[in-house]
Amino acid sequence: MKKTAFNTVSQKTLAFSLAFTLAACPLASAGHVLAAPAAASADSVVAAQTHDQARVAYGIDARLDEKNMRIQGSETVTYRNTSKDTLRKIVFHTFADANRSKATQTSMFEQNNEEIQKENPQKKPEDFLGGIYIRSAAADGQSLVFSNSNQALTVELKQELKPGEAVTVEIGFEVKIPFGMQRLSYYKDIINGAHWFPVMSVYDENKHEWDNKPYSKTFETDYYDSSDFEVRINVPEDYQVLMPGTITTQADPKEPGRKVVTAVADNTREHVFFASPNYKVESVTRDGLTIEYYYFDNMPDKKKLVDEYIDTAFKAIQFFSEKYGKYPYPEFRIAESYVEGVAVEFARVIQMGQIRPNSDPAHDTTFVHEIAHQWFHALIGNDSEKESFLDEGFADFSMVYFAEKQGDELNGFKSIQIDDWSYLDKPIASNNTEAGGEANPVFYKKGRQAIYQLYRMVGEDKFDAFMKEYFKRYAHKNATISGLLHTIQDTLGEEARKEMDKALHDPQFALKPEYRLSEAEEAAYWREQFKTSYRSSLSQIPNLPAETMSRIMDKALQGEPLTIVMSDQAGSKAKKQQQTILTQLEGTLGIMGIPYEVISDRQTLKKKLEKELGTSNIIAIGSAKINGLIQALKPGIMQKSKAIGFDWKSRMNQTASSGAYVVKHPYNQNRLLLHFFWNGDALSDNAVEPFAEQMLKALNFSTDFYQYYVLNKTGQVATDKKIANPIAKFFGEE
Ligand SMILES: [Zn+2]
């Protein structure tokens, strides 16, 4: 899984936006700022699994009741006891029951659901809930005693199951699908079908116990044996159904207007479906692999973007196949859905959010991260409740490895080398409870750094050879950190194992200094990163007016000159305030690597007014009445202010107010003039801090595009004019 700010504004952008806030605003403590944007496993003893030796085989028949959003189902599950223990019961996960209460539903989609609730006021809180109701359990035609509680279904066997023996159990069930954005849910014209049938839990023969944990509130709990599936779903005939495996469709002979869609998927980690009457399917086959994108044809030129995504998928699958081990299945499918800010991996299938006009298929790192999960989750399984690093750390490293080899500078290894998470006092080898709300930095960011460190330590050839061996040992099985370390020991030697062991278990792990970027490389990296982010943020709105505050940063990042002009005749109090505000601004410009000049005396101003200032973007600070530049350009500024609906004259005469506006440079159509002003001699003491905060906010790429704002006496926004920035909501208020 991966949380994503926006398709083109990647996870990293989020990270550096934080760095921006953090460094530019010394008032906020590190922990506070970083916590703010609440918005990104036992050695198997199974012998080589071939088709007819899979430990678990499912035959599932289900009927989708799309009017009442229910699924009536029955499944025949054959379970082979490959442990050394004699078993008297078997246990299934019933994760659909996580939807029985809000208290057990994942917190990941909580915010989405709140928005959905606002859009759909007729929906009651209970509509967002669901669950699975077990109707029957039987073996050999005899019913069995069962109990379903806390997301685990326990079935008592009539006869004990000895090592090597198999049992076939039939289970009847009914599912209520919740409305909203859960893994199992319906919303608009889609049904998201994950966790909808009872799934065999993994038996731990060392502890002599079944895994009966409920699904994680904060993260993922997907830990399964690779199994054989044959799933038949009865749906209305106009539905398209996406599932993993080979799909065939037959009209329902008994019920006109309906059809049965069958998917056969052997040796597969899990089974899900996505269904919609509006899905279009784009299918491309190359070298025996078919990639299919199920998408909504709701935008001009969408097919072109879909084809570009499919192209990236081919490239990524080929890359990981060569580096780690061959993708073994004949098909791979992608589901477009309405999830926002998150994408989810399943076996042979990934779930993405909506494609947008500015989606960038060649650089969509989230997309590649989900594809990498085919190797780290779907093929090499792991207990993602206990050792999430094994899938998330490797998927995130692989995403970066791919970008690096594609020549994508910003998303390549530099993005790992620049990260510093040493302050975060949690080991990578944490379980979900221990990682808590910090799953992203712990499993993804620190995790991929530990893998990168290993890569640097041993070099690419040896690293690739180790990865191939790891894949060989654990494909279609479940890996553990201990198994990973064994593989490192066997392929890369004792020292490499020790280093990795330390990296994974030391709470203070930080990338070794010799593998980090130099200061100069870091500065260049940030500059490029900011340049790209401002560009992509500003390009999201077609015909966005020239006069927006953050555009002045974009122009400076693109290489246009920038001059800061202070009010030179300010009194001593105002002078001190101007200096405080200038320091904050300079901090931000410094981080972004933007060159600028500051003019604070009238003589220099006069000298430069004729020539240099006519070609520069300008930020003026202070009272209009004593700012030489504003006074000199006053008639032009008044004229240009009309274009943004800012009544300059009356605003400048309003007592005790302050704020900012941006206009076209009166001398130069292609330059901007941004004025951070206050009326009267100085700001009131308690307004300086909010004034500076609002200034930095208005200049950021991730906030709305401000044209002007006016603050009241205490520095709160009293009125403003701004154009909504679609990514702003992903960055949230502190
Ligand atoms: Zn992931």
Side-chain angles (χ1 to χ4, degrees):
M1 180 205 61
K2 193 161 176 71
K3 287 191 183 177
T4 161
F6 200 68
N7 272 346
T8 52
V9 181
S10 65
Q11 194 74 18
K12 263 170 304 306
T13 316
L14 178 70
F16 88 77
S17 167
L18 294 175
F20 174 37
T21 320
L22 190 63
C25 186
L27 310 161
S29 78
H32 178 54
V33 173
L34 283 162
S41 314
D43 289 24
S44 179
V45 291
V46 198
Q49 286 185 343
T50 63
H51 176 190
D52 36 26
Q53 283 178 318
R55 191 186 291 178
V56 192
Y58 298 85
I60 304 176
D61 285 281
R63 185 184 190 282
L64 174 69
D65 173 0
E66 76 285 355
K67 299 213 168 59
N68 300 302
M69 283 302 164
R70 288 185 176 251
I71 300 171
Q72 289 89 28
S74 65
E75 65 177 6
T76 303
V77 182
T78 301
Y79 180 76
R80 185 178 305 278
N81 179 7
T82 53
S83 79
K84 297 184 203 82
D85 295 350
T86 294
L87 305 174
R88 284 166 189 86
K89 61 179 185 182
I90 54 176
V91 175
F92 297 80
H93 296 294
T94 45
F95 289 146
D97 272 347
N99 296 301
R100 282 196 190 228
S101 76
K102 214 182 155 189
T104 49
Q105 262 174 342
T106 175
S107 57
M108 203 172 302
F109 301 106
E110 221 170 84
Q111 214 184 332
N112 276 164
N113 283 345
E114 278 164 22
E115 277 167 38
I116 289 173
Q117 171 77 78
K118 277 181 223 150
E119 284 167 28
N120 298 272
Q122 81 286 2
K123 291 282 181 190
K124 300 183 204 77
E126 58 265 34
D127 293 325
F128 287 81
L129 302 177
I132 183 165
Y133 307 88
I134 306 301
R135 301 281 183 232
S136 61
D140 298 324
Q142 288 188 296
S143 28
L144 301 174
V145 174
F146 65 89
S147 68
N148 179 36
S149 80
N150 202 19
Q151 304 174 38
L153 167 66
T154 304
V155 177
E156 311 288 340
L157 299 175
K158 283 235 158 92
Q159 285 171 337
E160 47 185 34
L161 188 65
K162 298 204 172 67
E165 287 181 350
V167 63
T168 298
V169 174
E170 283 149 43
I171 295 169
F173 59 92
E174 181 163 349
V175 178
K176 176 178 181 269
I177 306 171
F179 177 70
M181 206 70 94
Q182 291 72 240
R183 283 181 166 78
L184 172 66
S185 60
Y186 70 96
Y187 176 60
K188 291 186 177 168
D189 53 357
I190 194 173
I191 295 150
N192 306 301
H195 301 158
W196 63 276
F197 58 90
V199 177
M200 279 303 311
S201 126
V202 176
Y203 183 75
D204 182 340
E205 65 172 349
N206 296 316
K207 290 187 179 160
H208 312 289
E209 65 184 22
W210 290 92
D211 172 25
N212 59 4
K213 285 185 290 294
Y215 205 82
S216 173
K217 257 298 267 181
T218 53
F219 207 56
E220 295 179 313
T221 315
D222 296 282
Y223 175 38
Y224 315 112
D225 289 315
S226 202
S227 308
D228 291 348
F229 292 93
E230 183 165 344
V231 179
R232 292 169 289 273
I233 302 187
N234 183 310
V235 293
E237 63 184 356
D238 61 338
Y239 272 52
Q240 288 279 5
V241 183
L242 179 162
M243 293 187 273
T246 304
I247 296 178
T248 51
T249 303
Q250 278 180 313
D252 182 351
K254 286 173 274 175
E255 209 179 342
R258 294 188 70 93
K259 65 181 179 183
V260 177
V261 185
T262 304
V264 176
D266 287 339
N267 219 352
T268 298
R269 188 69 55 187
E270 71 210 331
H271 210 279
V272 294
F273 77 88
F274 294 87
S276 173
N278 295 328
Y279 263 150
K280 263 192 118 163
V281 186
E282 178 70 356
S283 178
V284 180
T285 302
R286 286 180 203 162
D287 298 329
L289 173 66
T290 300
I291 298 182
E292 294 186 328
Y293 212 125
Y294 285 56
Y295 70 101
F296 300 108
D297 195 11
N298 52 7
M299 187 178 91
D301 293 330
K302 183 124 173 207
K303 187 176 168 296
K304 188 172 166 280
L305 285 169
V306 166
D307 282 328
E308 285 171 31
Y309 268 112
I310 290 178
D311 204 51
T312 299
F314 272 113
K315 279 187 192 150
I317 289 174
Q318 190 190 354
F319 180 80
F320 300 135
S321 288
E322 282 167 9
K323 288 289 183 187
Y324 306 149
K326 196 176 182 317
Y327 180 77
Y329 305 113
E331 91 298 310
F332 176 68
R333 296 196 174 94
I334 305 143
E336 182 175 31
S337 67
Y338 300 103
V339 288
E340 282 201 28
V342 68
V344 188
E345 75 280 10
F346 300 101
R348 306 162 77 160
V349 169
I350 59 173
Q351 177 186 12
M352 298 297 296
Q354 287 190 84
I355 295 177
R356 312 208 183 237
N358 66 327
S359 289
D360 185 0
H363 302 99
D364 190 333
T365 50
T366 301
F367 184 68
V368 175
H369 172 103
E370 302 311 334
I371 293 174
H373 269 305
Q374 296 309 306
W375 281 261
F376 310 102
H377 165 67
L379 289 164
I380 302 174
N382 63 293
D383 185 343
S384 62
E385 178 68 34
K386 271 199 221 151
E387 297 183 331
S388 270
F389 154 72
L390 285 175
D391 54 315
E392 295 305 350
F394 276 96
D396 226 45
F397 171 81
S398 301
M399 163 193 95
V400 177
Y401 197 7
F402 174 73
E404 174 75 17
K405 295 298 172 182
Q406 297 292 303
D408 180 346
E409 287 262 320
L410 287 180
N411 296 314
F413 285 147
K414 281 181 186 163
S415 65
I416 292 181
Q417 292 174 279
I418 204 159
D419 264 352
D420 186 2
W421 300 97
S422 51
Y423 72 89
L424 187 72
D425 216 4
K426 283 182 182 177
I428 297 166
S430 295
N431 63 33
N432 289 350
T433 311
E434 289 157 353
E438 285 159 327
N440 182 31
V442 172
F443 301 137
Y444 298 63
K445 295 295 167 57
K446 283 174 93 167
R448 70 189 198 182
Q449 263 187 337
I451 300 165
Y452 176 69
Q453 182 160 292
L454 180 70
Y455 167 90
R456 285 294 296 271
M457 194 180 152
V458 302
E460 185 165 313
D461 289 349
K462 283 186 180 169
F463 177 83
D464 289 352
F466 142 69
M467 287 301 296
K468 286 194 175 88
E469 178 62 23
Y470 180 55
F471 181 83
K472 212 167 106 192
R473 290 187 189 187
Y474 291 103
H476 300 295
K477 299 176 196 164
N478 281 303
T480 59
I481 286 179
S482 138
L484 172 78
L485 292 171
H486 265 118
T487 314
I488 293 174
Q489 166 95 38
D490 296 346
T491 54
L492 300 172
E494 175 76 11
E495 207 198 323
R497 182 196 59 78
K498 271 192 181 152
E499 283 288 349
M500 193 62 168
D501 197 340
K502 195 164 155 251
L504 299 182
H505 293 98
D506 178 2
Q508 266 107 33
F509 163 74
L511 185 63
K512 290 186 174 173
E514 61 264 41
Y515 303 141
R516 293 189 58 85
L517 295 181
S518 70
E519 244 173 74
E521 287 170 325
E522 259 191 49
Y525 179 86
W526 283 130
R527 192 188 151 84
E528 272 313 297
Q529 183 68 273
F530 279 110
K531 200 169 148 180
T532 307
S533 296
Y534 273 92
R535 256 299 123 105
S536 92
S537 171
L538 287 159
S539 66
Q540 282 174 81
I541 307 225
N543 309 317
L544 184 72
E547 303 98 328
T548 72
M549 294 187 191
S550 47
R551 198 188 288 282
I552 209 162
M553 304 299 267
D554 172 53
K555 290 164 87 65
L557 284 161
Q558 301 293 326
E560 292 182 16
L562 177 66
T563 309
I564 301 171
V565 182
M566 311 299 286
S567 297
D568 56 340
Q569 285 162 1
S572 66
K573 186 178 176 187
K575 254 204 176 119
K576 229 174 126 192
Q577 291 179 346
Q578 283 187 176
Q579 196 51 47
T580 306
I581 288 154
L582 177 65
T583 306
Q584 298 261 345
L585 181 59
E586 288 187 306
T588 297
L589 295 172
I591 292 165
M592 295 192 204
I594 295 176
Y596 58 93
E597 195 186 341
V598 182
I599 298 178
S600 44
D601 67 283
R602 190 73 51 127
Q603 251 184 338
T604 317
L605 180 65
K606 272 186 184 153
K607 231 186 327 180
K608 301 218 164 176
L609 203 51
E610 287 299 306
K611 219 169 132 203
E612 286 95 331
L613 282 174
T615 57
S616 180
N617 294 292
I618 296 170
I619 295 178
I621 296 176
S623 166
K625 293 197 170 64
I626 53 163
N627 189 299
L629 177 101
I630 301 295
Q631 287 302 316
L633 303 184
K634 195 165 144 184
I637 293 173
M638 286 169 72
Q639 179 62 29
K640 298 286 178 195
S641 294
K642 288 181 190 155
I644 60 162
F646 186 71
D647 183 354
W648 193 86
K649 207 170 165 185
S650 72
R651 291 293 186 190
M652 290 303 121
N653 287 318
Q654 206 176 328
T655 46
S657 82
S658 60
Y661 59 88
V662 61
V663 294
K664 284 188 179 165
H665 191 313
Y667 288 2
N668 190 331
Q669 273 289 103
N670 300 316
R671 298 287 183 265
L672 293 175
L673 189 159
L674 169 54
H675 183 196
F676 294 103
F677 71 91
W678 56 78
N679 301 332
D681 295 335
L683 287 164
S684 66
D685 288 334
N686 58 357
V688 180
E689 219 173 86
F691 185 92
E693 268 179 36
Q694 180 60 31
M695 169 182 75
L696 297 182
K697 188 177 167 191
L699 291 172
N700 203 326
F701 67 89
S702 64
T703 50
D704 291 333
F705 303 114
Y706 283 91
Q707 296 202 288
Y708 68 78
Y709 58 81
V710 177
L711 308 175
N712 65 16
K713 264 192 287 206
T714 55
Q716 306 309 306
V717 177
T719 171
D720 62 19
K721 187 177 177 197
K722 58 190 182 188
I723 293 123
N725 178 349
I727 66 167
K729 66 175 168 180
F730 297 112
F731 289 85
E733 294 289 322
E734 280 162 41

